[in-house]
Amino acid sequence: ARKFFVGGNWKMNGSTAQVETLLSNLNSYSFDASKAEVVVSPVSIHLSHVRSKLNKEIGVAAQNCHSKSSGAYTGEISAEQLKDFGIDWVILGHSERRSLFHETSEIVAEKTKHALEVGVKVILCCGESEQEREAGKTEEVVFQQLKAVSNIVKDWSNIVVAYEPVWAIGTGKVATPQQAQDVHSEIRKWLKTEVSEKASNETRIIYGGSVNGANCESLSTQADIDGFLVGGASLKPEFKDIIASYT
Ligand code: 13P
């Protein structure tokens, strides 16, 4: 069985004081680490502190990294540098990176390839806009985003796929359990034909977009929903309830 995965994407939020509160809340949670994997993602300047203060059974993810190892890339951080700080995960291809910072699927794929080579695991985000959904292009868009990665990455064992429909992110408009399940199931079929049967069976496909303490239960019981990538609610006490939805 695939281990339930809950990521907390803090986005560009959190003062030093707020991060202390989040840390003490997270360190007070008890969950069965053999059944659920929990990873939180603060802004880069907080990564090192969060890693050093957080219980070891909770992972830490960067929100981005570069595809090169080092050099003249002002403002960027490499996967090697994440690894050096004990950061084992990175979120790549978030829709905000794609739309606001012009990351193409090819750029996301290069970053994914490099992070995995360095030993940093990847939460790979994909998802369609509202217009694309209305035009019936959801699968086409998601497959194109994933295909850029499968073209150059054959081993998906350290990738978690996050399906995050853009129209559901930060809008309070959560996908229905059936809408999410349908896309997750299509992604799983796609993995079988485009990557491998193993990748199809073992890759965690998590849902993101307006997940909260009240709607997580009905989503988590869907066959192909293996967890969540949580934005807003990961900064609130209800994140505990979302983690607990593996039970
Ligand atoms: P919200 O949970 O705030 O909708 O954000 C989802 C998201 O983008 C997580 O990466």
Side-chain angles (χ1 to χ4, degrees), residues 9 11 94 96 164 168-171 208-211 229-233:
N9 177 6
K11 308 194 180 183
H94 191 280
E96 289 148 20
E164 301 205 300
I169 296 177
T171 58
S210 297
V211 174
L229 188 56
V230 186

Side-chain angles (χ1 to χ4, degrees), residues 9-10 13 36 40 45 47 63 65 75-76 80 84 137 142-143 147 166 177 183 200 204 209 219 221 223:
N9 177 6
W10 297 355
N13 295 297
V40 294
I45 201 170
L47 283 169
Q63 296 175 15
C65 69
E76 294 293 306
E80 281 84 346
D84 189 35
K137 291 188 171 157
V142 167
F143 295 166
K147 179 75 184 165
V166 178
V183 180
S200 175
R204 270 88 55 89
L219 289 156
T221 49

Side-chain angles (χ1 to χ4, degrees), residues 180-231:
Q181 166 59 25
D182 287 347
V183 180
H184 284 225
S185 159
E186 290 303 316
I187 293 172
R188 203 171 293 294
K189 284 187 219 155
W190 179 90
L191 284 168
K192 188 169 177 176
T193 50
E194 299 291 330
V195 183
S196 65
E197 180 144 18
K198 180 179 187 293
S200 175
N201 291 332
E202 296 178 6
T203 302
R204 270 88 55 89
I205 306 174
I206 62 175
Y207 169 80
S210 297
V211 174
N212 61 35
N215 61 31
C216 58
E217 200 77 52
S218 60
L219 289 156
S220 68
T221 49
Q222 298 296 313
D224 291 298
I225 300 182
D226 303 313
F228 302 111
L229 188 56
V230 186

Side-chain angles (χ1 to χ4, degrees), residues 46-61:
H46 286 151
L47 283 169
S48 171
H49 178 70
V50 168
R51 182 58 290 165
S52 69
K53 292 287 150 63
L54 198 58
N55 289 347
K56 291 301 167 220
E57 59 264 32
I58 300 182
V60 178

Side-chain angles (χ1 to χ4, degrees), residues 58-72:
I58 300 182
V60 178
Q63 296 175 15
N64 183 27
C65 69
H66 197 262
S67 58
K68 300 288 195 307
S69 302
S70 64

Side-chain angles (χ1 to χ4, degrees), residues 94-153:
H94 191 280
S95 74
E96 289 148 20
R97 298 294 322 166
R98 293 178 191 263
S99 66
L100 303 172
F101 303 99
H102 316 296
E103 289 189 20
T104 63
S105 294
E106 288 66 38
I107 291 171
V108 173
E110 289 294 338
K111 291 179 172 194
T112 301
K113 181 175 194 280
H114 185 72
L116 294 171
E117 281 167 359
V118 171
V120 176
K121 294 175 272 193
V122 174
I123 300 168
L124 173 64
C125 304
C126 60
E128 82 289 0
S129 68
E130 185 149 47
Q131 262 182 333
E132 289 162 342
R133 172 164 284 262
E134 280 167 5
K137 291 188 171 157
T138 298
E139 271 93 41
E140 183 187 323
V141 168
V142 167
F143 295 166
Q144 177 271 330
Q145 291 169 338
L146 297 177
K147 179 75 184 165
V149 176
S150 70
N151 281 340
I152 58 172
V153 174

